[in-house]
Amino acid sequence: MTTQLSPPTASGPAPRPPGRSPRALWHLGVNTIVFVWLALFAAAASAHHFLPHSSWLLVHVLLLGAVTNAVVIWSGHFAASVLRLPEANRSAPAALRLACLNAGAVTVTGGMLVGRWHVVLVGAGLVAAAVAAHAVWLVRLLRRALPGRFSMTVRYYIAASTLLPTGAALGVVMARGDLAGDLSDRLLIAHEMINLLGWVGLTVAGTLITLWPTMLRTRVADGAERAGRTALPVLLAGLAAAVAAALLAPPPLAAPGVAGYAAGLAVAGRPWLREARAKTPSSFAAWSVAAGCLWLAGSLTALAGILVSTTSWTTVAERVSLLTAPLAAGWIAQVLLGALSFLVPVVLGGGPAAVRAATAGLERAWPARLAVTNAALLFCVLPVPSTVRVACSSLLLGMLLYFLVLLVSTVVRGMRNRRRAARGDTAPAPAPAPAPAPAPAEARVPAEVRAAPHRVLGGVALGLAVVVLAVAAGGAVDVRSLPVADGSAATTADGGEVRPTGRTTTADVTIRGMRFSPSAVDVPAGNRLVIRLHNSGTDTHDLVLETGARTDRLSPGERGTLDAGVVGRDLSGWCSVVGHRQMGMVLAVRVTGAGASDTADGTAGTDGAGGTGSPEGGGTTHDHSGGASEGTGGSAAEAFDPMAEPAEGFAARDAELPPATDGSGPRLHRRTLTVEEAETEVAPGVRQTLWTFDGTAPGPVLRGRVGDTFEITLVNDGTIGHSVDFHAGALAPDRPMRTIQPGRSLTYRFKATRSGVWMYHCSTMPMSLHIANGMFGAVVIDPPGLPEVDREYVLVQSEFYLGEQNGTADADKVKAEEPDMVAFNGYANQYDHDPLTAKTGERVRIWVLAAGPNVSSAFHVVGGQFDTVFREGAYDLRPGGSEHGGAQVLDLAPASGGFVELSFPKRATTPSSRTS
């Protein structure tokens, strides 16, 4: 037997006269909270480059803010509806629970942003208390109501609500820090499983038992209630097994728990499939929820694969981060927006016509929106260039903003129309002409939703076209798309043309580390050459021949093919990633038989178009040989004038060092460092494209005390692979210091156990080139008992190996250790033009780091004497000794640092560095 289930909110007496009912006012008020959190998420996504902990913030604004509020609001609504107690969820205690929940969410967010785990503890306690109170209310409601067919839905909500406090507790433990070994990774996986699969997943599963057929305007399938009852214990058992394994066992033992959870969803979902076959989805709401469920299924499959493929929880945590977008945006956000587009018109009411109008407003252009959302998200999770990922992320943000605009305009328009109708400002609509009565299900579906198939397909095609254009635009601005000089491979060594043989030579070449293997391939003169390239290394590479033939940039594990055409002479090839050619990534194509050139050792290949290349960088085509990247032409070194004056209004980089944060105990420092490529002036009239941490070279200065813990999230928004190595922490380098590709991120956690001024830098090979092009910074760890001074500065010395104007560093100069200039804090002579200041008699401490990569430092302040010298973790000189000694120079090797203290009896001067 099947039963027609009306929308739970539509049960009860006939509709009220037009106007704002108490139910409409309640839902309008509480769903405004969800809207505000979604708007905050959109704002944070737009400005994430400028926000600390941006990845964490985006995830928690969406899930802790918008989704958790929606779960509490709508689970209360559905529980009251299926138990036939529709007014139960609109009371003062319900409002108090929501107030407590949102106060907790705001407190947790603030505590994480300021790095205070005690604040996080308070906020998490408020969130847990609100959700626990919600669970208690659901239990009481279930006991109070008469037995109902779909009371099983409420049991899902109760189970979900009992899990969230556990997930919140795990989050607090992680926020506190000081976790040994891989415990932080285990807790993270358990935290995510409980909150996503438990709190959100169980709520969604329980709701879809009744909401899904209601969205489809069809009857609930036979056995839906039985399937729901059977599925709940399977879901809970699978989740418990997965979480227990995450905390106590190796990753492969958690995979059966994930499989069990997926099996529970399959049991619950079988009736949903029968309902969809009985009535094909025809609205944004239904298709959005369906698409979300498909993303969940794919994510669970990927999660199980990740768990069985490794025995390291650190590796699992790294790989699971790749599922953030599919789960948050693909599954949860699509289910949320689909449900809101269906439910908001119903709960606002106003009669069938008003509901149809509101639904039509929210489902405007829905085929194109769904196509854009899911296609763009698919590109975001694929290994595409960072510029493509940025373009697709912008489309996703645009779709969210468009939904929010539709939501506001629909609600405002509906409320305005109802007020006019209540005042009698509009005449009643004329009676329609007699027409055949439509089927009851069709009568409730707006014409805009019942779009013709060709209009749906047209909208999908339009959405896909938008995504294709965005991908093309993103790919066009990626550096790998820039052309190289074309030349012919079919000419012989003496300039003649080789006769094609009609045959093809295929060569398999593998990238291992920083080498092509084999390093040379032989091809008979006149044969067509095809090279099949496999990147088995850990970094992104490509292969470029001097003729212009090239592969795409290949991420680790990827394969590509290069068609060199008919070959009549020896050719040189190399990896065009900056610096890789200098490290030996060269390939020789050697022609055998008639027309072959005399030499084929891979160290040189001559041709009129490409010039003479060399793995040592002796060629002149810097733009593709890996010397200096493409600039605007002209040598930056020739433009450098050490006596030039900067433009009027020039302000030097602020060298003042903020004091260490107050507090007696160890502190957790959380910081996001974003790799950015920035076109920057490094001297008057001299501009370079630097690879930077957070847009500056040197990167941000971090400061703490011995015993503090630093948790650094590295986000690569560049165009090539990068990494980070913090000398202030002692860690095995294989995982935290690994190279991450564009668009990826990693978390680097270390405890500062020793004092000093420590360097951090990119350790991706060639390391010296990455440092020389701006990827370095300082971490200051105060020695215990460090006295206060009047002024405190930090100076990071580095050298520049200038390439073309607006280009990157010249890798050949770096290798030859021939810098063009040495600078403090990233700009030549800047403190001559805008001096550091001190008053007479003030005590000044100057921290100095010699970042190199090659030049040492002999730091001296003209007119000053140091009475304190601290170098590489120890005092060389302290005041008060019997010798009454002083020092004139702080001498530092590259990558070392220290500080000096002095005071000025007469007048402050500017510091200068004499390099040795």
Side-chain angles (χ1 to χ4, degrees), residues 15 92 112 124 391 394 412 500 576 589 651 761 792 911:
M112 289 295 294
S394 300
V412 170
S576 71
V589 176
H761 61 89
E792 202 165 7

Side-chain angles (χ1 to χ4, degrees), residues 854-870:
N854 298 316
V855 177
S856 59
S857 176
F859 179 77
H860 169 67
V861 176
V862 178
Q865 294 180 331
F866 308 143
D867 61 21
T868 301
V869 176
F870 180 93

